[in-house]
Amino acid sequence: MLESARNRDVAISRVPAQAVLSAGTLLSFAWLLLQGKIHPIVVYLLQVYLTF
């Protein structure tokens, strides 16, 4: 039973780190997009990728 609780604790502690990393990636991409530092082709390719 203790191992089950430990495994659950490890799984819960990994989720916020991934969420923070994902949020940081999206915020940095948005910041670069607002600054005009991302080429329009990259934006187009990202849109094509997200449509599928």
Side-chain angles (χ1 to χ4, degrees), residues 24-49:
T25 301
L26 290 175
L27 286 174
S28 64
F29 184 80
W31 178 254
L32 289 173
L33 189 60
L34 288 173
Q35 298 296 319
K37 306 250 180 185
I38 297 177
H39 199 276
I41 291 176
V42 175
V43 175
Y44 173 74
L45 291 175
L46 182 63
Q47 289 175 347
V48 169
Y49 173 75

Side-chain angles (χ1 to χ4, degrees), residues 10-31:
V10 170
I12 291 171
S13 66
R14 288 185 186 165
V15 172
Q18 290 175 345
V20 169
L21 185 61
S22 297
T25 301
L26 290 175
L27 286 174
S28 64
F29 184 80
W31 178 254

